[in-house]
Amino acid sequence: MRQEIKPAESWYEATVTREEYPALRASIDADVCVVGGGFAGLVTALECQKRGLQTVLLEGGRVACGASGRNGGFVSSGFALGVDGVMAKVGKQAAQALYQLSRDGTEYVRTVITAHEPSLIHGSGMRVALRHRDTGGLKSYADMMRADFGETLRYSTAEETRLHLVSPRYFESVVSENAFHIHPLAYGLLLARLATDAGVAIHENSRATSCRKEGSSFVVTAGGGQVRAKHVVHCVSSLSPDLHRPSGQAMLPVATYVAVTNALQQDVIRTGAAIADTRRAGDYYRLVKDGRLLWGGRITTRVSEPQRLAALMLGDMLSVYPGLGTPRIDYAWAGLMGYAIHKMPLIGRDAEGQWYATAFGGHGVNTTAMGGVLVARGIAREDDAWRRFTPFAPRWAFGQLGRLGVQGSYWWMQAQDRWEEAKSA
Ligand SMILES: Cc1cc2nc3c(=O)[nH]c(=O)nc-3n(C[C@H](O)[C@H](O)[C@H](O)COP(=O)(O)OP(=O)(O)OC[C@H]3O[C@@H](n4cnc5c(N)ncnc54)[C@H](O)[C@@H]3O)c2cc1C
């Protein structure tokens, strides 16, 4: 089924009003120059300015035009690398400290939105469901998260799960009450407003093309001007790998996709919570305003949008919920995430003194807030909690070869997922 979709416009873009920020046209001085106006850059800039540091933010396109304004809108604690992976690398105690930082990120988002624009929260709770029969793993995971990480995950049997998600595809699930879901682009625009109100100078359409050290300062060239600053923070995700090579070359771009339907009359998704499944490249979705279904899924390392994206996404929805009726896809779009090889954020300072807060992968709404605050505290010399990420330092991601490797491993993991599902069917 081929459907026309509105080109390059997301449902998020269609439901906000943007302010314009002027392009950089002069040479200016600042204490801090933040490069990249996604969540990571915006929180970093806001938090630096709040600490009395005169801050300039350079954004190559429009504020939050990257992953930050295109994502699923799920806000939950943790990292793209699950807690098991974090524990395997740094041990339980350090993993607990890192998890607490990620939880601080979740609370940061909640606090900012609740204080300024509570209507950006679309719903609360997140249900994570299995697509194959449980052999006890999910329940013991929930018990471990409660005992070791203080996270309450409510376990549901397959029968209970299917009362909320009426689909034969689902089995057991857990609900995280602390999670919630938001309008991510509106949150990004709110951060930009708060930052400018605090005194940050934001410049859109000001793509940074180089950053060099001159004496004890850094000079960032962008568009028709340049910024000379004592500190520079790179927050460009995987989009400008050559600007700051230590972090840029340590990341791989990974694409994922979102579609939004028309307003639905349906009785198969009976929850206002966000929903995800536990597959390696699983579906994530939620009901948004007016009964529209926002559906995310699929992962590739190609950066161009696949043809027939709307039809592919529609097929995914109907394969889970044949009872959805005849939804129409009104919007469909792609977004690019940045992943380090170890799947943890890259947060730190290089040998020359340049800061970076990037590589938040598919778990970036909470962790960008965490990363921005950590870097601002580091620059303001409040503390060096950012060093908790030293075990996850940037490592070269093997360029094009790395991309092929990621694509191959996703195909392999998808095959494993299908095999597990087939055994439970
Ligand atoms: C479709 C999709 C769904 C997702 N769903 C979720 C979810 O539900 N929950 C969750 O927690 N995470 C999710 N994520 C991940 C999350 O969106 C990202 O981890 C997070 O937004 C990354 O923020 P960022 O600021 O690092 O990067 P970005 O938002 O990509 O921002 C980088 C910015 O840098 C700018 N830039 C690039 N180069 C330059 C340059 N040279 N000069 C100036 N500016 C430059 C870009 O224009 C861009 O605005 C999803 C991601 C995608 C793509």
Side-chain angles (χ1 to χ4, degrees):
M1 188 185 324
R2 184 178 280 268
Q3 288 202 28
E4 286 303 312
I5 57 165
K6 300 185 183 180
E9 190 182 64
S10 71
W11 177 74
Y12 297 134
E13 287 285 355
T15 48
V16 295
T17 309
R18 278 183 173 274
E19 281 174 37
E20 287 204 17
Y21 299 97
L24 183 72
R25 303 228 181 275
S27 292
I28 52 176
D29 291 337
D31 295 320
V32 182
C33 177
V34 176
V35 189
F39 295 155
L42 289 163
V43 174
T44 305
L46 172 61
E47 293 299 321
C48 284
Q49 188 74 40
K50 283 203 311 205
R51 286 164 173 77
L53 298 158
Q54 182 53 54
T55 304
V56 173
L57 183 146
L58 300 174
E59 163 53 47
R62 307 294 310 270
V63 160
C65 66
S68 298
R70 300 169 159 259
N71 63 58
F74 290 32
V75 195
S76 62
S77 302
F79 300 95
L81 178 67
V83 285
D84 289 345
V86 182
M87 277 197 286
K89 173 78 181 168
V90 296
K92 188 154 131 187
Q93 226 180 350
Q96 286 169 327
L98 285 168
Y99 192 84
Q100 181 55 46
L101 290 175
S102 84
R103 185 186 277 137
D104 295 345
T106 304
E107 292 316 311
Y108 182 98
V109 180
R110 194 193 317 270
T111 306
V112 166
I113 294 182
T114 309
H116 298 281
E117 231 175 306
S119 64
L120 301 192
I121 297 185
H122 287 158
S124 61
M126 176 167 93
R127 183 177 290 274
V128 179
L130 288 176
R131 297 252 310 218
H132 58 86
R133 210 166 278 289
D134 195 11
T135 48
L138 193 61
K139 184 136 191 358
S140 32
Y141 173 74
D143 292 342
M144 183 273 289
M145 286 304 290
R146 187 178 309 110
D148 294 341
F149 293 89
E151 194 68 64
T152 310
L153 298 178
R154 200 160 36 78
Y155 178 80
S156 298
T157 62
E159 292 67 33
E160 273 175 68
T161 302
R162 289 178 188 184
L163 293 178
H164 300 277
L165 315 177
V166 184
S167 167
R169 290 297 182 106
Y170 292 123
F171 294 87
E172 292 78 2
S173 61
V174 286
V175 177
S176 165
E177 306 285 4
N178 269 333
F180 55 104
H181 53 102
I182 62 168
H183 191 307
L185 177 57
Y187 165 59
L189 300 182
L190 169 63
L191 287 173
R193 264 199 322 278
L194 295 176
T196 42
D197 288 351
V200 175
I202 296 183
H203 296 283
E204 291 184 322
N205 299 311
S206 302
R207 185 179 175 78
T209 48
S210 71
C211 175
R212 63 178 193 280
K213 192 158 193 177
E214 268 189 22
S216 59
S217 299
F218 296 96
V219 177
V220 182
T221 305
Q226 60 176 37
V227 183
R228 179 182 298 274
K230 294 188 198 89
H231 308 276
V232 62
V233 191
H234 296 281
C235 302
V236 298
S237 187
S238 58
L239 302 166
S240 290
D242 293 325
L243 188 63
H244 177 248
R245 292 179 73 85
S247 62
Q249 302 283 322
M251 253 185 298
L252 291 165
V254 175
T256 173
Y257 305 94
V258 178
V260 172
T261 68
N262 59 323
L264 300 178
Q265 300 290 329
Q266 55 84 27
D267 189 32
V268 287
I269 302 170
R270 299 175 178 170
T271 173
I275 302 145
D277 67 58
T278 57
R279 291 174 308 160
R280 284 81 171 179
D283 300 320
Y284 49 94
Y285 55 93
R286 59 199 181 99
L287 291 169
V288 291
K289 287 202 165 29
D290 316 320
R292 290 179 188 268
L293 174 60
L294 182 148
W295 188 281
R298 296 179 173 261
I299 282 179
T300 70
T301 51
R302 60 183 285 176
V303 290
S304 59
E305 208 161 280
Q307 282 184 332
R308 304 183 62 244
L309 176 59
L312 289 173
M313 300 301 278
L314 184 61
D316 289 351
M317 292 174 196
L318 292 175
S319 74
V320 179
Y321 292 111
L324 256 189
T326 51
R328 184 186 73 226
I329 304 294
D330 282 350
Y331 303 88
W333 64 92
L336 268 190
M337 306 176 283
Y339 271 92
I341 282 198
H342 47 55
K343 291 198 188 159
M344 283 294 275
L346 301 174
I347 295 171
R349 194 174 56 192
D350 70 14
E352 213 183 28
Q354 303 193 41
W355 292 85
Y356 47 87
T358 191
F360 297 98
H363 211 303
V365 184
N366 66 319
T367 52
T368 46
M370 171 204 74
V373 171
L374 287 178
V375 168
R377 281 177 9 202
I379 293 175
R381 294 179 183 275
E382 272 173 31
D383 62 40
D384 61 358
W386 58 271
R387 290 189 195 276
R388 289 210 170 270
F389 285 86
T390 306
F392 301 99
R395 283 205 315 255
W396 184 52
F398 301 102
Q400 193 59 30
L401 202 62
R403 281 193 193 196
L404 291 173
V406 171
Q407 188 64 67
S409 71
Y410 274 122
W411 282 333
W412 168 239
M413 290 187 302
Q414 279 170 324
Q416 287 176 289
D417 285 332
R418 279 194 209 105
W419 168 241
E420 279 174 1
E421 279 189 66
K423 280 195 299 182
S424 300

Coordinates of all heavy atoms in Angstrom, one line a residue, residues 331-368:
Y331 N 2.0 11.3 8.9 CA 3.4 11.8 9.0 C 4.3 10.6 9.2 O 4.0 9.7 9.9 CB 3.6 12.8 10.2 CG 2.7 13.9 10.2 CD1 1.4 13.8 10.9 CD2 3.0 15.1 9.7 CE1 0.6 14.9 10.9 CE2 2.2 16.2 9.7 CZ 0.9 16.1 10.3 OH 0.1 17.2 10.4
A332 N 5.4 10.7 8.5 CA 6.5 9.7 8.8 C 7.8 10.3 8.5 O 8.0 11.1 7.6 CB 6.3 8.5 7.8
W333 N 8.8 10.0 9.4 CA 10.1 10.7 9.3 C 11.2 9.8 9.9 O 10.9 8.8 10.6 CB 10.1 12.0 10.0 CG 9.9 12.0 11.5 CD1 10.8 12.0 12.4 CD2 8.6 12.1 12.2 NE1 10.3 12.0 13.7 CE2 8.9 12.1 13.6 CE3 7.3 12.1 11.8 CZ2 7.9 12.1 14.5 CZ3 6.3 12.2 12.8 CH2 6.6 12.2 14.1
A334 N 12.4 10.2 9.6 CA 13.6 9.5 10.1 C 14.3 10.4 11.0 O 14.2 11.6 11.0 CB 14.5 9.1 8.9
G335 N 15.1 9.8 11.9 CA 16.0 10.6 12.8 C 17.3 9.8 12.9 O 17.4 8.6 12.9
L336 N 18.4 10.6 13.1 CA 19.7 10.0 13.3 C 20.2 10.1 14.7 O 20.2 11.2 15.3 CB 20.7 10.7 12.4 CG 21.0 10.2 11.0 CD1 22.2 11.0 10.4 CD2 21.2 8.7 10.9
M337 N 20.6 8.9 15.2 CA 21.1 8.9 16.6 C 22.7 8.8 16.4 O 23.2 8.4 15.4 CB 20.6 7.7 17.4 CG 19.1 7.6 17.4 SD 18.5 6.2 18.2 CE 18.7 4.9 16.9
G338 N 23.4 9.1 17.5 CA 24.8 8.9 17.5 C 25.2 7.8 18.6 O 24.8 8.0 19.7
Y339 N 25.8 6.8 18.2 CA 26.2 5.7 19.1 C 27.7 5.6 19.2 O 28.4 5.5 18.1 CB 25.7 4.4 18.6 CG 24.3 4.0 19.1 CD1 23.1 4.4 18.4 CD2 24.1 3.4 20.4 CE1 21.9 4.1 18.8 CE2 22.8 3.1 20.8 CZ 21.7 3.4 20.1 OH 20.5 3.1 20.5
A340 N 28.3 5.5 20.4 CA 29.7 5.1 20.6 C 29.6 3.6 20.5 O 28.6 2.9 20.8 CB 30.2 5.6 21.9
I341 N 30.8 3.0 20.3 CA 30.9 1.5 20.2 C 30.4 0.9 21.5 O 29.8 -0.2 21.5 CB 32.3 1.1 19.8 CG1 32.5 1.4 18.4 CG2 32.6 -0.3 20.3 CD1 33.7 0.7 17.8
H342 N 30.7 1.5 22.6 CA 30.3 0.9 23.9 C 28.9 1.2 24.3 O 28.4 0.8 25.4 CB 31.3 1.3 25.0 CG 31.6 2.7 25.1 ND1 30.7 3.7 25.2 CD2 32.8 3.4 25.0 CE1 31.3 4.9 25.2 NE2 32.6 4.7 25.1
K343 N 28.2 2.0 23.5 CA 26.8 2.4 23.7 C 26.5 3.3 24.8 O 25.4 3.5 25.3 CB 25.9 1.1 23.8 CG 25.7 0.3 22.6 CD 24.5 -0.6 22.7 CE 24.4 -1.6 21.6 NZ 23.6 -2.7 22.0
M344 N 27.6 3.9 25.4 CA 27.4 4.8 26.5 C 27.7 6.2 26.0 O 28.4 6.4 25.0 CB 28.3 4.5 27.7 CG 27.9 3.3 28.5 SD 26.3 3.6 29.4 CE 26.9 4.5 30.9
P345 N 27.1 7.2 26.7 CA 27.4 8.6 26.2 C 28.9 8.9 26.4 O 29.6 8.3 27.2 CB 26.6 9.5 27.2 CG 25.6 8.6 27.9 CD 26.2 7.2 27.8
L346 N 29.3 9.8 25.5 CA 30.7 10.3 25.6 C 30.6 11.7 26.3 O 30.1 12.6 25.7 CB 31.3 10.5 24.2 CG 31.4 9.2 23.3 CD1 31.9 9.6 21.9 CD2 32.3 8.2 24.0
I347 N 31.1 11.7 27.5 CA 31.1 13.0 28.3 C 32.4 13.2 28.9 O 33.0 12.3 29.6 CB 30.0 12.8 29.4 CG1 28.6 12.7 28.8 CG2 30.1 14.1 30.4 CD1 27.5 12.3 29.8
G348 N 33.1 14.3 28.6 CA 34.4 14.6 29.1 C 35.1 15.7 28.5 O 34.5 16.6 27.8
R349 N 36.4 15.7 28.7 CA 37.3 16.8 28.2 C 38.5 16.2 27.6 O 39.1 15.3 28.2 CB 37.7 17.7 29.4 CG 38.3 19.0 29.1 CD 38.5 19.8 30.3 NE 39.3 19.1 31.3 CZ 39.5 19.5 32.5 NH1 38.9 20.5 33.0 NH2 40.3 18.8 33.3
D350 N 38.9 16.7 26.4 CA 40.1 16.1 25.8 C 41.4 16.7 26.3 O 41.4 17.6 27.1 CB 40.0 16.1 24.2 CG 40.1 17.5 23.7 OD1 40.6 18.4 24.4 OD2 39.8 17.8 22.5
A351 N 42.5 16.2 25.7 CA 43.8 16.7 26.2 C 44.0 18.2 26.0 O 44.7 18.8 26.8 CB 44.9 15.9 25.5
E352 N 43.4 18.7 25.0 CA 43.5 20.1 24.7 C 42.6 21.0 25.5 O 42.8 22.2 25.5 CB 43.2 20.3 23.2 CG 44.0 21.4 22.5 CD 43.5 21.6 21.1 OE1 42.3 21.3 20.7 OE2 44.3 22.0 20.3
G353 N 41.6 20.4 26.2 CA 40.7 21.2 27.0 C 39.3 21.3 26.4 O 38.5 22.0 26.9
Q354 N 39.1 20.7 25.2 CA 37.8 20.8 24.6 C 36.8 19.8 25.3 O 37.2 18.6 25.4 CB 37.8 20.5 23.1 CG 38.8 21.4 22.4 CD 38.6 21.4 20.8 OE1 37.5 21.3 20.3 NE2 39.7 21.4 20.1
W355 N 35.6 20.3 25.6 CA 34.6 19.4 26.2 C 33.7 18.8 25.1 O 33.5 19.3 24.1 CB 33.7 20.3 27.2 CG 34.4 20.8 28.4 CD1 35.2 21.9 28.5 CD2 34.4 20.2 29.7 NE1 35.6 22.1 29.7 CE2 35.2 21.0 30.5 CE3 33.9 19.0 30.2 CZ2 35.4 20.7 31.8 CZ3 34.1 18.7 31.6 CH2 34.9 19.6 32.4
Y356 N 33.1 17.6 25.5 CA 32.1 17.0 24.6 C 31.0 16.4 25.5 O 31.3 15.9 26.6 CB 32.8 16.0 23.7 CG 33.7 15.0 24.4 CD1 33.3 13.9 25.0 CD2 35.1 15.4 24.5 CE1 34.2 13.0 25.6 CE2 36.0 14.5 25.1 CZ 35.5 13.4 25.7 OH 36.4 12.5 26.4
A357 N 29.8 16.4 25.0 CA 28.7 15.7 25.6 C 27.8 15.2 24.5 O 27.1 15.9 23.8 CB 27.9 16.7 26.5
T358 N 28.0 13.9 24.2 CA 27.4 13.4 22.9 C 27.3 11.9 23.0 O 27.5 11.3 24.0 CB 28.4 13.9 21.7 OG1 27.7 13.6 20.5 CG2 29.7 13.2 21.8
A359 N 26.8 11.3 21.9 CA 26.6 9.8 21.7 C 25.6 9.3 22.7 O 25.8 8.3 23.4 CB 28.0 9.1 21.9
F360 N 24.4 9.9 22.8 CA 23.4 9.5 23.7 C 22.6 8.3 23.2 O 21.7 7.8 23.9 CB 22.6 10.7 24.2 CG 23.4 11.7 24.9 CD1 23.9 12.8 24.2 CD2 23.7 11.5 26.2 CE1 24.7 13.8 24.9 CE2 24.5 12.4 26.9 CZ 25.0 13.6 26.2
G361 N 22.8 8.0 21.9 CA 22.1 6.8 21.3 C 20.6 7.0 21.4 O 20.0 8.0 21.3
G362 N 19.9 5.8 21.6 CA 18.5 5.8 21.6 C 17.9 6.1 23.0 O 16.7 5.9 23.2
H363 N 18.7 6.5 23.9 CA 18.2 6.8 25.3 C 18.7 8.2 25.7 O 19.4 8.3 26.7 CB 18.8 5.7 26.2 CG 17.9 5.4 27.4 ND1 17.4 6.3 28.2 CD2 17.3 4.2 27.8 CE1 16.7 5.8 29.2 NE2 16.6 4.5 28.9
G364 N 18.3 9.2 24.9 CA 18.9 10.5 25.1 C 18.1 11.6 25.8 O 18.7 12.6 26.1
V365 N 16.8 11.3 26.0 CA 16.1 12.5 26.6 C 16.5 12.7 28.0 O 16.8 13.9 28.4 CB 14.5 12.2 26.5 CG1 13.8 13.5 27.0 CG2 14.1 11.9 25.1
N366 N 16.7 11.7 28.8 CA 17.2 11.9 30.2 C 18.7 12.1 30.2 O 19.2 13.0 30.9 CB 16.8 10.7 31.1 CG 17.6 9.4 30.6 OD1 17.7 9.1 29.4 ND2 18.1 8.6 31.6
T367 N 19.4 11.4 29.4 CA 20.9 11.4 29.5 C 21.5 12.7 29.0 O 22.6 13.1 29.4 CB 21.6 10.2 28.9 OG1 21.1 10.1 27.5 CG2 21.3 8.9 29.6
T368 N 20.8 13.4 28.0 CA 21.3 14.7 27.5 C 21.2 15.7 28.7 O 22.1 16.6 28.8 CB 20.5 15.2 26.3 OG1 19.1 15.0 26.5 CG2 20.9 14.4 25.0

